């Protein structure tokens, strides 16, 4: 656990009791949506408002004297510096911290090539353009008959059945056709098969009727005229050779792999996955079994590694270092990962060794404390030109807050991904605010007759709790002083499908603050 979390939470509670932190509708957005990243990620569209805060520009007005002397503007934050804290240290505003993490990487690692299977989860380093027409030739969209001209038609084959048997199956998918179909003739054809020359349409098998003639020939009849082009997928219907399919910066999903394969690719130009190492600190943590003798289970190691992988990183199993200052220093000095994530040890207690270790290594602190609850003791440091460290608090939900605030935007830039546009949804219930800091609150999506999709705040959102986030779809960004029901707030969506957890409440369930689990009845 980190020092400082519980003391500050007590101070916050005291402020609420004294009436200095009233809840209510906030008059304006205290946290501006984070802007587009610098460096390579500047290719992405800029979503920051004019005059927004930059990585070294605190939110709020500045004057010439502040700039000249390097002082901090009211409500702002000092610029990055060595890994030491001054007596006047002030936490970085949440939105500014996100911007600094996003812009810390000037250029992502250079691109390479990967086979389709290995490209999954990476980011396109070059636009995906079609290497062929799709479809590459006119194809049948249905099982039935390829017909030439108006009917009735002389039948030259019977439609393929489910068993794939019959005296004459006509044209099957994957079979080339050479002979042209004469006018007034029909030929059985399967879905996906190449349309023969001369064919004007496809008559579905369920819409045609074949009658045997006395001379042994068969004739195909249709109940209504068949318009030209019916149920034919023309060549190039989806794209033509050279068409721009997807831009650089697109994450490679399974659907992208399918499109790339259909468009003729065997390998893709992609950025490498960021390499992340997780160091779990704390002598009090058990790796198995039940809590005992004052020790508790490590919840962060099992959670962070798959979470980081969901964000597109290569992350091996975590390393457990305990509260050993020398072991931490050696691990940081010897790591070759693009990003090191530590858990705990970011405050100023007797066994909080992250700051001293960073100072010994000559690291540059980019963010040292963030004005957000939970998780304000988080930090971001640059260990080397292309190596970074994100220090997460030791409390589980506080660590999630740090992961979303600092690690996610940094990893996004390392992977050369474009940021998603800020997403705002009205709250299903009022949320009490902190007097000064942003709050990140777990929420579940909820359908409302008046507002439509809403974000329902979940219970169990203390710094040491995971029950709320385990049932959540997103984290709501609640400005200082709180927000009332119906107020639109920015959401940080989790990197997995909404409602994937078996514990997630039904989307249509009514919101009930007194409900025993998650605030959804």
């Amino acid at each position: 656990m980190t020092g400082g979390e519980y003391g500050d939470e007590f101070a916050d509670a005291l402020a609420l009791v004294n009436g200095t932190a009233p809840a209510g509708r906030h008059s304006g957005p205290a946290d501006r949506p984070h802007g587009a990243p610098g460096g390579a990620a500047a290719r992405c569209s800029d979503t920051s408002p004019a005059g927004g805060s930059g990585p070294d520009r605190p939110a709020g007005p500045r004057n010439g004297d502040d700039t000249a002397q390097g002082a901090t503007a009211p409500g702002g934050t000092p610029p990055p510096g060595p890994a030491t804290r001054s007596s006047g240290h002030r936490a970085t505003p949440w939105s500014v911290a996100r911007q600094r993490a996003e812009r810390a990487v000037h250029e992502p690692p250079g691109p390479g090539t990967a086979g389709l299977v290995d490209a999954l989860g990476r980011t396109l380093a070059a636009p995906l353009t079609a290497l062929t027409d799709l479809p590459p030739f006119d194809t049948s969209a249905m099982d039935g008959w390829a017909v030439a001209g108006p009917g009735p038609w002389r039948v030259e084959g019977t439609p393929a059945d489910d068993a794939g048997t019959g005296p004459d199956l006509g044209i099957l998918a994957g079979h080339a056709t050479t002979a042209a179909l004469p006018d007034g003739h029909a030929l059985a054809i399967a879905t996906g098969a190449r349309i023969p020359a001369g064919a004007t349409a496809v008559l579905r098998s369920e819409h045609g009727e074949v009658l045997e003639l006395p001379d042994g020939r068969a004739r195909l009849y249709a109940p209504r005229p068949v318009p030209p082009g019916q149920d034919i997928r023309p060549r190039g219907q989806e794209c033509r050779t050279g068409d721009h399919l997807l831009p650089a910066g697109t994450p490679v999903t399974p659907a992208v792999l399918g499109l790339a394969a259909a468009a003729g690719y065997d390998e893709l130009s992609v950025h490498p996955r960021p390499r992340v190492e997780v160091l779990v600190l704390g002598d009090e943590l058990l790796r198995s079994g039940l809590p005992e003798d004052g020790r508790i289970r490590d919840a962060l190691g099992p959670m962070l590694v798959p979470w980081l992988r969901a964000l597109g990183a290569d992350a091996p199993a975590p390393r457990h270092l305990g509260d050993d200052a020398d072991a931490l220093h050696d691990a940081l000095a010897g790591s070759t990962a693009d990003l090191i994530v530590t858990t705990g040890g970011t405050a100023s207690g007797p066994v909080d060794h992250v700051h001293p270790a960073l100072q010994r290594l000559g690291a540059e602190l980019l963010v040292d404390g963030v004005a957000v609850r939970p998780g304000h003791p988080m930090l971001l440091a640059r260990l080397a030109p292309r190596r970074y460290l994100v220090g997460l608090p030791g409390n589980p939900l506080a660590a999630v807050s740090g992961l979303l605030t600092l690690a996610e935007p940094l990893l996004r830039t390392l992977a050369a991904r474009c940021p998603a546009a800020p997403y705002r949804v009205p709250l299903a219930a009022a949320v009490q605010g902190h007097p000064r800091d942003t709050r990140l609150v777990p929420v579940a999506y909820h359908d409302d007759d008046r507002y439509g999709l809403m974000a329902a705040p979940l219970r169990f959102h203390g710094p040491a709790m995971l029950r709320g986030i385990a049932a959540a779809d997103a984290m709501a960004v609640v400005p200082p002083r709180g927000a009332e029901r119906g107020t639109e707030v920015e959401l940080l969506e989790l990197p997995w499908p909404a409602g994937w957890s078996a514990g997630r409440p039904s989307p249509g369930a009514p919101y009930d603050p007194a409900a025993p689990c998650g605030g959804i009845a």
Side-chain angles (χ1 to χ4, degrees):
M1 298 290 182
T2 60
E5 278 283 354
Y6 288 115
D8 289 332
E9 292 293 336
F10 177 78
D12 299 341
L14 183 61
L16 295 174
V17 171
N18 291 335
T20 59
R25 185 181 298 274
H26 186 48
S27 60
D31 298 305
R32 300 180 180 182
H34 51 275
R43 295 188 300 266
C44 306
S45 59
D46 189 350
T47 58
S48 60
S53 302
D56 298 318
R57 177 181 177 184
R62 294 181 58 167
N63 55 47
D65 291 339
D66 289 339
T67 303
Q69 301 299 323
T72 302
T77 179
T84 58
R85 277 185 172 179
S86 66
S87 58
H89 173 76
R90 300 178 67 181
T92 304
W94 180 80
S95 57
V96 177
R98 292 264 297 172
Q99 290 173 359
R100 286 193 183 167
E102 193 172 48
R103 300 180 182 184
V105 181
H106 300 300
E107 288 289 341
T113 58
L116 295 187
V117 174
D118 293 332
L120 181 64
R122 304 192 189 191
T123 306
L124 291 179
L128 190 72
T129 57
L131 302 180
T132 182
D133 295 344
L134 286 182
F137 41 78
D138 293 351
T139 60
S140 176
M142 293 289 171
D143 291 337
W145 292 269
V147 297
W153 304 271
R154 176 179 174 179
V155 178
E156 298 187 3
T158 56
D161 58 23
D162 292 339
T165 60
D168 187 353
L169 298 180
I171 310 171
L172 299 178
H175 291 206
T177 57
T178 55
L181 189 64
D183 189 49
H185 286 236
L187 180 64
I189 194 168
T191 301
R194 185 168 187 165
I195 298 292
T200 57
V202 170
L203 177 65
R204 300 185 186 188
S205 56
E206 62 268 25
H207 293 166
E209 182 179 5
V210 177
L211 298 180
E212 296 289 340
L213 300 179
D215 60 2
R217 293 180 297 173
R219 194 164 293 276
L220 173 65
Y221 295 86
R224 62 183 64 88
V226 180
Q230 174 178 285
D231 287 328
I232 291 178
R233 291 188 63 210
R235 175 177 180 172
Q237 181 186 49
E238 185 170 1
C239 65
R240 287 290 187 178
T241 301
D243 281 357
H244 181 88
L245 303 178
L246 293 170
T250 301
V252 179
T253 64
V256 170
L257 292 178
L259 176 62
Y265 285 86
D266 296 319
E267 59 182 21
L268 296 173
S269 175
V270 289
H271 289 279
R273 297 183 186 92
R275 296 173 298 113
V276 181
E277 184 173 10
V278 176
L279 305 179
V280 178
L281 312 181
D283 289 338
E284 76 277 18
L285 300 178
L286 296 170
R287 299 170 65 179
S288 62
L290 296 174
E292 61 181 0
D293 299 330
R295 303 182 69 192
I296 59 174
R297 280 293 298 273
D298 167 35
L300 295 183
M303 176 177 67
L304 291 179
V305 167
W307 199 315
L308 291 164
R309 290 172 180 168
L311 292 175
D314 270 337
R319 294 173 59 189
H320 293 74
L321 301 182
D323 288 319
D324 188 322
D326 290 334
L328 175 60
H329 171 269
D330 294 345
L332 298 184
S335 176
T336 60
D338 300 308
L339 171 64
I340 301 172
V341 175
T342 61
T343 68
T346 55
S348 303
V351 292
D352 290 331
H353 302 307
V354 174
H355 280 93
L358 293 175
Q359 187 174 3
R360 288 175 62 187
L361 292 168
E364 177 188 9
L365 277 177
L366 305 178
V367 175
D368 189 12
V370 178
V372 66
R373 305 302 171 107
H376 64 282
M378 67 182 75
L379 62 85
L380 169 63
R382 182 182 284 116
L383 299 173
R386 292 183 179 271
R387 293 180 54 238
Y388 301 87
L389 178 140
V390 169
L392 303 178
N395 279 320
L397 190 59
V400 170
S401 175
L403 188 71
L404 295 176
T405 300
L406 298 178
E408 186 276 330
L410 180 70
L411 285 172
R412 184 182 348 111
T413 309
L414 280 170
R417 294 187 182 182
C418 296
Y423 185 52
R424 304 183 73 86
V425 170
L427 287 171
V431 175
Q432 182 71 55
H434 185 273
R436 302 170 305 278
D437 297 348
T438 299
R439 284 191 66 198
L440 299 184
V441 178
V443 294
Y445 291 133
H446 167 66
D447 290 327
D448 182 84
D449 292 339
R450 176 181 177 187
Y451 291 97
L453 181 68
M454 302 188 77
L458 301 178
R459 298 174 61 195
F460 308 110
H461 50 67
M465 297 180 178
L466 287 175
R467 188 171 171 182
I469 192 66
D473 294 316
M475 292 280 270
V477 182
V478 179
R481 299 184 298 280
E484 292 181 351
R485 170 183 163 85
T487 302
E488 286 193 351
V489 295
E490 183 180 352
L491 294 187
L492 303 177
E493 292 197 306
L494 306 180
W496 40 78
W500 83 293
S501 170
R504 181 186 181 274
S506 168
Y511 179 77
D512 180 6
C517 180
I520 301 289

